[in-house]
Structures are given as structure tokens and as C-alpha cells.
Amino acid sequence: MRSRTATWFECKVRYDQTQDNGLQKAVTKQYVVDALSFAEAEARITEQLSPFISGEFEVTDVKKAAYKEIFFMNDSEKAFQNQAEDLAKAVQMGDMEKGMEVFNRPLEKWTNTDSRYYKAKLQFITINEKTEKEKRSNVTYLVEATSLHNALDNIDTVMKGTMLDYVQASVSETAIIDVYEYAAVVQSELVEKLQAALADPSQTTEEIVNQYVNCSTPELRQKLIEKLRKQRKEKHGIDK
């Protein structure tokens, strides 16, 4: 998981979509972009969607999101969660043949898997040292996950390193289709986190690549692991 803090705007876009029967139907979809103003948010979502929507479309609503931070998944995490869900379904149905097929499915078969976005309201708990009274502060996050159950797990994964006491007040699925970040900012943040992880001996190079890098093929992934492992040993003396 990775988290990103920014000023986010939720944008609703209306356009004609071709249905399974071949007819056109007006639909309204919701997206999220990071921007500095309402005008910039509208311009950014228009720029992002123009190549993918044939015909005219209209940005019908732009509002500032209630959350500042979004928890994102990488492809490996999506693959694992989808595989776990399918395995659980097969076990519940008593179909062991299907279960073994899911269990043995190669990881690359699960790339570009679907995910959804959930709004999570957390209550952070603090104690006033003088009065010893409990105070709860509400904070909303947007969480990417493959299911509601996995959204709860993803929240715990990110929050376990904060040392703060909290409870999950509510988690609900949204209608958000996708989140568009500034590519240059995201790339810079990922490079910084990747370099910091490579200097940390608690993870193997393979685990770090799985967490921070999306590779198009298993061959490319293996070559990158070998290259980074060599650089890691030379620079940090870590051979793992």
C-alpha cells in the first residue's frame, strides 16, 4: 500500500455510453483528481477523459473531497486480494478442483485486476492527561480495495505504523471510477520511497519490487530484481 496526501476534487461527468444492446444511454460517472482549484480540477478531468470518450461530455459537478489522504494499492496487492477472494468462494462452494486452479494460478494472470474505492471514517482516540477524559477526532480517508472486507484490512495495514489508537467508525463503497494523480509528483514520491526501502534490510529486494514497481512481464520483473539486488549490495552492503 502507498498513501498520498493532496487536495482532491470529486468530479461528475455526463456522457453517452454504448450499451450491450448497441443503443446510446446518457450516464453520469464520478472521478477524483488532485488540483489547486475548482477550475483546475474541471480542466484536469476534461484533459484526462477526452481521449477515452467519443462524442461530447459535460462536467456536471465539481466539489472538494472530504478526505485529504488516499490509500492506493499496487497490482501485486490487487492480484493477491482477488486471488484470495476467488479461493474463498471455491472453498465455500466445496469445489476443490476450482480451488486448486485458483491457488496455482500464476501471479501475472492477475495483473490489471479491478478494484473499487471506499470512504472510511476513522475515529482517533486521545486521552486528556489532566481530566483523563477520552476525546475522539473524526478523519475521512479514501481507500482502494477489491472488496469491503479487503478495504478494512488495507486500512489496518496502513495505520498499524502510526502508533495511534483508532476505531473504524464507518466504511462504505463509493461510485468513484478512478483517481487521477499528477504523474510527475507520483513518480518522484515512488522513487524516494523505493530508494529508502532499498536501504532498509528488513525486506528482500523481491518484496520491495513487488510493493513499489509494476512490471509488464515476469521477465522484466526478474531483470529489475537482479539489477536492484546488485546495486543494493554495492551501495548498502545488503545481499538479499
Side-chain angles (χ1 to χ4, degrees):
M1 299 292 298
R2 68 176 178 88
S3 65
R4 172 107 192 279
T5 301
T7 302
W8 304 100
F9 289 84
E10 295 180 349
C11 306
K12 290 184 178 180
V13 181
R14 184 178 177 85
Y15 58 92
D16 289 336
Q17 184 179 64
T18 303
Q19 306 298 299
D20 293 338
N21 57 11
L23 298 177
Q24 294 282 320
K25 180 182 179 182
V27 297
T28 299
K29 300 294 181 69
Q30 188 171 349
Y31 302 88
V32 172
V33 296
D34 58 345
L36 299 177
S37 66
F38 288 87
E40 184 186 7
E42 182 172 353
R44 286 208 62 220
I45 195 61
T46 300
E47 178 185 7
Q48 291 288 344
L49 296 183
S50 292
F52 306 104
I53 299 178
S54 59
E56 297 182 356
F57 65 90
E58 178 187 7
V59 181
T60 60
D61 184 50
V62 178
K63 67 178 182 180
K64 187 176 288 188
Y67 42 85
K68 292 286 188 181
E69 191 171 358
I70 300 180
F71 303 157
F72 293 97
M73 303 171 63
N74 61 37
D75 281 348
S76 296
E77 290 165 332
K78 295 177 191 177
F80 176 80
Q81 291 190 0
N82 275 283
Q83 189 173 26
E85 288 177 9
D86 281 1
L87 182 60
K89 291 177 183 177
V91 172
Q92 289 174 356
M93 295 175 62
D95 189 345
M96 298 310 297
E97 183 177 349
K98 176 67 175 178
M100 290 304 299
E101 185 273 326
V102 172
F103 184 79
N104 293 317
R105 193 171 298 169
L107 181 62
E108 58 266 24
K109 296 292 186 180
W110 295 95
T111 56
N112 300 318
T113 50
D114 292 334
S115 61
R116 296 176 284 279
Y117 289 93
Y118 297 81
K119 280 186 181 177
K121 180 184 289 185
L122 304 187
Q123 292 183 340
F124 291 97
I125 304 171
T126 56
I127 305 296
N128 187 303
E129 294 182 358
K130 293 182 179 180
T131 64
E132 296 185 351
K133 289 185 178 180
E134 180 183 283
K135 179 182 178 181
R136 298 195 177 202
S137 303
N138 294 321
V139 180
T140 301
Y141 298 91
L142 191 66
V143 184
E144 186 181 14
T146 59
S147 68
L148 177 60
H149 171 75
N150 287 324
L152 300 175
D153 288 342
N154 289 349
I155 293 168
D156 288 337
T157 297
V158 175
M159 300 306 298
K160 67 181 181 182
T162 65
M163 305 297 291
L164 296 173
D165 292 329
Y166 71 95
V167 294
Q168 297 178 1
S170 65
V171 180
S172 58
E173 185 175 351
T174 72
I176 294 169
I177 301 298
D178 208 347
V179 175
Y180 294 103
E181 307 173 77
Y182 276 122
V185 174
V186 174
Q187 187 67 22
S188 176
E189 288 182 352
L190 284 176
V191 169
E192 290 180 4
K193 290 182 178 181
L194 175 60
Q195 293 301 325
L198 290 172
D200 182 357
S202 64
Q203 287 183 295
T204 66
T205 305
E206 183 174 0
E207 289 172 340
I208 294 170
V209 170
N210 288 343
Q211 184 174 357
Y212 291 103
V213 184
N214 293 327
C215 297
S216 56
T217 65
E219 292 77 15
L220 179 61
R221 172 176 168 275
Q222 189 57 40
K223 287 181 180 179
L224 180 61
I225 290 173
E226 293 172 359
K227 180 179 179 180
L228 290 177
R229 184 179 288 136
K230 181 179 179 181
Q231 293 178 354
R232 197 181 187 197
K233 183 177 181 181
E234 293 174 351
K235 188 174 181 179
H236 304 291
I238 302 172
D239 188 14
K240 59 189 298 186

